Amino acid sequence: MDSSSEIGGQYATGLSRHNIEQALVAAGKNLDRLAPADLGPLEDFHTLGRIATGQLAELGKITGADRVLDAGTGIGGTARFLASQYGCQVTAIDLTEEYCETARWLNRLVGLDEKITVSQGDVTSLPLDAAAFDAVFSQHVQMNVADKPRMYAEARRVLVTGGRLAIWDITAGAPGEISYPLPWADQPDRSHLASAAGLRAAIESAGFEIAHWNDLTDQAAPLMQMVIARPAAPLGLHAFVTDFAAKAANLTRGLTAGRLHVTQGIAIAVG
């Protein structure tokens, strides 16, 4: 089995749609009258959730005229947020076909299926034309990708010159043991953490200039501590992410100890 198959298999459970549907019903949601905001608690599979996505969209200056790629969409939370809030056309790509199927279903439920196109694909070999997008979003994806130069070369290829790459990622911090499982890796050999400096260098080498680069670990760690301290609500990532409580706890410990960092960035595609 190749590494991409292993990563895809890590996220697939065969129960994503079923479990999300059960969670929505348990929360009292009417699936025939579902609004995009109803999905907020369970669709953002990254640190700080919707807060991080909203900040990144503002920094990336997203407008309704933009053609946006959500590279590593998961079940489609970022794509739906951008399509709903800004009215832009979004193409969503994910390695895990089960997540793609679930994203399409959720897009239909909230009436965004005409705004979002979902395809299965690898971020290191995007099945997309060159210069097809004005913005690329990548949130908590590169930690699964060993070949970061190829990943960002692909992002640059599909962007127009002047287009924006918006990232929100976990990076390696101080040396020390990291506990598994984590949200992106059940075991160490599926995690490919880079330092923030290494990540920035890979992006710049692929044909980007950094417009914004910020370490938000000091904000993320206490907020994650609050999140894991709260009792689980019917709607949440635990609905479809196996062992989510353990993964979130290990991530929070890593952030608090400074062994993991969170990095927010906007990079501009240059000629």
Side-chain angles (χ1 to χ4, degrees):
M1 180 181 290
D2 63 26
S3 60
S4 63
S5 297
E6 289 179 356
I7 295 300
Q10 172 181 263
Y11 293 108
T13 63
L15 295 171
S16 296
R17 173 172 171 170
H18 173 269
N19 289 354
I20 290 171
E21 186 169 4
Q22 293 295 107
L24 288 168
V25 171
K29 304 296 182 182
N30 183 341
L31 270 63
D32 294 324
R33 296 182 180 179
L34 205 63
D38 291 329
L39 300 176
L42 61 73
E43 65 182 356
D44 295 303
F45 193 8
H46 50 261
T47 311
L48 297 189
R50 185 56 48 86
I51 295 171
T53 304
Q55 289 181 352
L56 208 56
E58 290 183 12
L59 289 169
K61 300 178 181 178
I62 299 301
T63 73
D66 284 324
R67 300 161 298 167
V68 181
L69 171 63
D70 183 15
T73 192
I75 64 166
T78 295
R80 282 186 292 276
F81 174 79
L82 295 172
S84 175
Q85 293 297 309
Y86 296 93
C88 51
Q89 289 293 141
V90 184
T91 297
I93 297 286
D94 199 84
L95 187 62
T96 304
E97 180 58 35
E98 180 180 322
Y99 277 6
C100 293
E101 293 173 357
T102 302
R104 294 185 193 104
W105 168 65
L106 291 170
N107 294 345
R108 291 193 298 272
L109 284 183
V110 299
L112 289 173
D113 47 313
E114 293 187 1
K115 282 285 187 183
I116 305 169
T117 301
V118 182
S119 299
Q120 191 274 338
D122 188 332
V123 295
T124 66
S125 183
L126 292 167
L128 301 166
D129 292 337
F133 297 95
D134 304 295
V136 172
F137 271 66
S138 179
Q139 298 191 90
H140 284 31
V141 175
Q142 58 80 28
M143 301 99 73
N144 281 139
V145 179
D147 194 347
K148 300 187 197 305
R150 184 174 174 184
M151 174 182 175
Y152 294 118
E154 277 292 272
R156 176 63 189 92
R157 182 182 66 81
V158 301
L159 277 170
V160 298
T161 298
R164 294 92 74 201
L165 170 65
I167 72 158
W168 173 241
D169 274 314
I170 302 291
T171 53
E177 183 179 351
I178 299 171
S179 298
Y180 290 83
L182 287 161
W184 65 91
D186 293 334
Q187 53 199 43
D189 63 356
R190 293 179 178 174
S191 181
H192 301 284
L193 289 173
S195 67
L199 190 64
R200 179 170 181 154
I203 292 170
E204 290 176 326
S205 296
F208 291 93
E209 289 183 355
I210 303 298
H212 175 93
W213 195 263
N214 196 17
D215 186 318
L216 296 182
T217 309
D218 287 347
Q219 295 180 31
L223 283 173
M224 285 296 297
Q225 288 172 345
M226 291 173 59
V227 167
I228 65 173
R230 292 199 301 257
L235 290 184
L237 290 167
H238 58 83
F240 70 97
V241 179
T242 304
D243 297 327
F244 177 72
K247 292 173 179 178
N250 287 336
L251 170 60
T252 303
R253 279 194 288 269
L255 292 171
T256 302
R259 291 171 184 161
L260 300 173
H261 283 212
V262 283
T263 299
Q264 176 193 71
I266 301 292
I268 309 301
V270 295

